[in-house]
Amino acid sequence: MEYLKVIAFTHHHIDLKSLGKLVICDESLDNRLKNIQTELPVSEIFYIGTCNRVEFVFLTKEKTDKEFVTKFLTVLDMGLPAEFMERFLDNVTVYENEEAFNHLLRTSCSLESLVVGEKEILAQIRKAYENCRDAGFTGDYMRMIMDRVVKTAKEVYTHTNISKNPVSVVSLAYRKLKELNMCGNSRILIIGAGETNQNIAKYLNKHKYSNFSIFNRTLSKAETLAEELNGKAYHLDALENFTEGFDVIITCTGSTEAIITEELYAKLLNGDTGKKVIVDLAIPNDVAPAVVHNHPIHYIEVESLKEVARKNIQERYNELVHAEDIISANIAEFFTVLKQRRIELAMQDVPRKIKEIKNTAMNGVFADEISQMDEASREVLERVMNYMEKKCISVPMIMAKEILVNQS
């Protein structure tokens, strides 16, 4: 546990627009993490990027002081201007060792979320970890950490009411949208076909909205969502030439630059001067500030949902206490699991050595005597030796674990 570290930039200390400058697009993530492992003594690492946090979970023997974090951000090569670098360094939160583990568990249980009780964060953390695992950035230690993270979160969601009547950023956005009393045949452009837009589309579809045009960088994903909504699918590039008009834009992509520039927005309006609705759940925002400032728009974004989220935390205070107890119990239990795993790793050569001893005995030391046995006797001897081999492997392991547990 002593080498687990988390560098976190979250909505607690940084405004979401600034936070967007730290978001890493999927295309460049592998190279940036490779740079970290090449330039810094980091053995395992994964990156979490959601609508209200950017975090790096990693293993290192180094002390994660300001000098380390500065070098970390420099090696990531995010192209940050000096003033932003200083702002992030002043507002970074660093967790080490058990505190890092506690933070990761709290985050997965949504206790650190903008909206406490939303379950999406667990899926986002799992996906973030799995992507980095599949790319070779994590190993056995981080696997154990994530097994415990998932176990703890499931216990919290099962044994507390923290997610009862679940509230999420998506549901809050939909509530705001619903307050505008749009008609059922409103022309809705959905930009991005990821999980967030899929979820908000389900609300819209459930409440009988029916006029959808879906744009996505990967056309097949747009087609899948369009099929569910009985809408039309387009490649993202087709947005530039879309002339059928709109009443609502719902956008959430992984782009690090604004998708809807003022020039593109003017083309989409196609001369229409009516007030439009934009739901922008991307971090950084998909809509350029000039679009919001220069046009009549009902603009719904993550930042504007914060006050509703704060009230949600107050309503769930008792469940937070219960969740904290579950987290504490899992941390205590994990220390024993971690020690047991260290014993397994320390003794991983035992099975190979016992097999070697058995083979030497059977094929060397006692080879002549065995060759004089009849076939039935040799089969019995082979079964006896296989039985002894298994016991000689399992018994020391079990005894070592029992001793460790008793000591704990």
Side-chain angles (χ1 to χ4, degrees):
M1 187 67 68
E2 59 186 319
Y3 300 142
L4 181 65
K5 311 292 171 69
V6 177
I7 292 175
F9 304 92
T10 75
H11 63 95
H12 293 298
H13 302 109
I14 301 173
D15 68 274
L16 298 180
K17 286 184 173 64
S18 297
L19 192 62
K21 295 185 180 298
L22 286 170
V23 172
I24 302 175
C25 65
D26 292 342
E27 292 79 8
S28 67
L29 179 60
D30 282 9
N31 286 335
R32 295 187 192 281
L33 295 187
K34 282 176 185 174
N35 289 343
I36 292 291
Q37 289 192 319
T38 301
E39 299 292 331
L40 298 173
V42 170
S43 56
E44 300 184 39
I45 185 170
F46 72 96
Y47 157 85
I48 303 168
T50 74
C51 63
N52 52 48
R53 69 182 60 253
V54 168
E55 302 196 11
F56 300 89
V57 184
F58 58 97
L59 302 179
T60 185
K61 296 180 181 180
E62 298 292 308
K63 181 174 176 59
T64 43
D65 52 18
K66 185 173 182 178
E67 181 182 351
F68 181 92
V69 177
T70 301
K71 189 170 183 181
F72 191 98
L73 290 179
T74 302
V75 171
L76 275 177
D77 191 23
M78 300 294 290
L80 296 172
E83 64 271 20
F84 275 103
M85 177 69 91
E86 283 302 314
R87 185 186 305 175
F88 289 132
L89 289 172
D90 289 340
N91 292 282
V92 66
T93 308
V94 177
Y95 303 92
E96 296 187 321
N97 311 330
E98 185 178 339
E99 188 183 31
F101 189 40
N102 181 57
H103 168 74
L104 196 55
L105 292 177
R106 286 178 55 84
T107 302
S108 70
C109 298
S110 83
L111 272 60
E112 298 288 343
S113 293
L114 180 65
V115 181
V116 173
E118 55 93 7
K119 292 184 178 180
E120 286 91 342
I121 185 62
L122 176 59
Q124 290 168 333
I125 291 175
R126 287 182 74 171
K127 185 177 180 182
Y129 162 72
E130 287 166 2
N131 288 343
C132 290
R133 177 200 63 194
D134 294 345
F137 292 112
T138 68
D140 186 64
Y141 190 93
M142 207 65 85
R143 174 192 62 78
M144 293 183 64
I145 292 287
M146 284 305 302
D147 285 348
R148 183 60 49 163
V149 163
V150 172
K151 175 182 178 294
T152 305
K154 286 182 176 179
E155 287 180 12
V156 167
Y157 292 132
T158 300
H159 300 299
T160 76
N161 288 322
I162 201 166
S163 59
K164 188 177 181 181
N165 301 320
V167 180
S168 66
V169 170
V170 168
S171 65
L172 291 178
Y174 178 72
R175 287 182 193 179
K176 288 270 191 180
L177 195 57
K178 191 177 178 184
E179 289 171 4
L180 299 175
N181 295 317
M182 303 180 307
C183 61
N185 65 347
S186 295
R187 299 164 296 173
I188 301 174
L189 305 190
I190 296 180
I191 303 173
E195 185 176 358
T196 298
N197 278 355
Q198 289 173 28
N199 289 337
I200 201 166
K202 288 175 184 175
Y203 282 103
L204 293 164
N205 198 27
K206 180 180 177 181
H207 291 89
K208 309 303 181 186
Y209 292 97
S210 57
N211 191 347
F212 297 98
S213 299
I214 298 94
F215 298 81
N216 195 63
R217 208 176 300 278
T218 303
L219 181 58
S220 59
K221 290 185 178 180
E223 290 171 340
T224 300
L225 185 55
E227 188 175 345
E228 292 178 18
L229 300 174
N230 195 27
K232 298 177 182 177
Y234 303 87
H235 190 276
L236 185 61
D237 292 342
L239 197 59
E240 180 105 10
N241 300 310
F242 187 78
T243 58
E244 296 179 27
F246 70 95
D247 301 297
V248 182
I249 292 177
I250 298 172
T251 183
C252 184
T253 73
S255 175
T256 55
E257 303 290 338
I259 294 286
I260 304 175
T261 62
E262 191 159 24
E263 180 183 0
L264 176 58
Y265 189 72
K267 288 183 179 180
L268 292 173
L269 286 173
N270 199 25
D272 191 340
T273 57
K275 193 169 188 176
K276 305 299 180 182
V277 178
I278 298 181
V279 180
D280 185 354
L281 299 182
I283 299 292
N285 291 143
D286 281 338
V287 180
V291 173
V292 181
H293 294 151
N294 299 333
H295 298 274
I297 294 171
H298 289 292
Y299 188 51
I300 301 168
E301 58 169 340
V302 177
E303 187 76 32
S304 66
L305 304 174
K306 275 189 172 181
E307 185 55 38
V308 183
R310 287 192 191 97
K311 293 178 182 177
N312 177 59
I313 291 175
Q314 294 171 357
E315 291 169 1
R316 293 163 192 259
Y317 178 76
N318 291 334
E319 299 309 315
L320 287 174
V321 174
H322 190 182
E324 293 277 12
D325 291 340
I326 292 173
I327 289 171
S328 296
N330 270 279
I331 290 174
E333 185 180 299
F334 182 71
F335 279 113
T336 300
V337 173
L338 192 59
K339 289 177 182 177
Q340 290 176 342
R341 181 57 178 162
R342 284 174 179 164
I343 289 174
E344 290 174 359
L345 293 175
M347 298 180 72
Q348 63 185 350
D349 281 341
V350 170
R352 179 181 58 79
K353 290 180 178 178
I354 290 176
K355 285 180 184 292
E356 288 177 358
I357 293 170
K358 186 192 84 168
N359 291 333
T360 300
M362 298 283 286
N363 302 316
V365 179
F366 300 104
D368 291 341
E369 291 91 332
I370 294 172
S371 68
Q372 295 173 24
M373 292 179 176
D374 59 63
E375 186 173 346
S377 297
R378 283 199 298 272
E379 286 180 359
V380 171
L381 178 61
E382 183 70 31
R383 289 204 300 274
V384 170
M385 292 299 288
N386 287 339
Y387 175 82
M388 291 299 294
E389 178 189 341
K390 289 179 182 177
K391 289 300 179 182
C392 287
I393 291 170
S394 63
V395 170
M397 196 83 75
I398 292 170
M399 290 178 67
K401 288 181 178 180
E402 286 177 350
I403 292 169
L404 188 149
V405 170
N406 291 334
Q407 286 177 341
S408 300

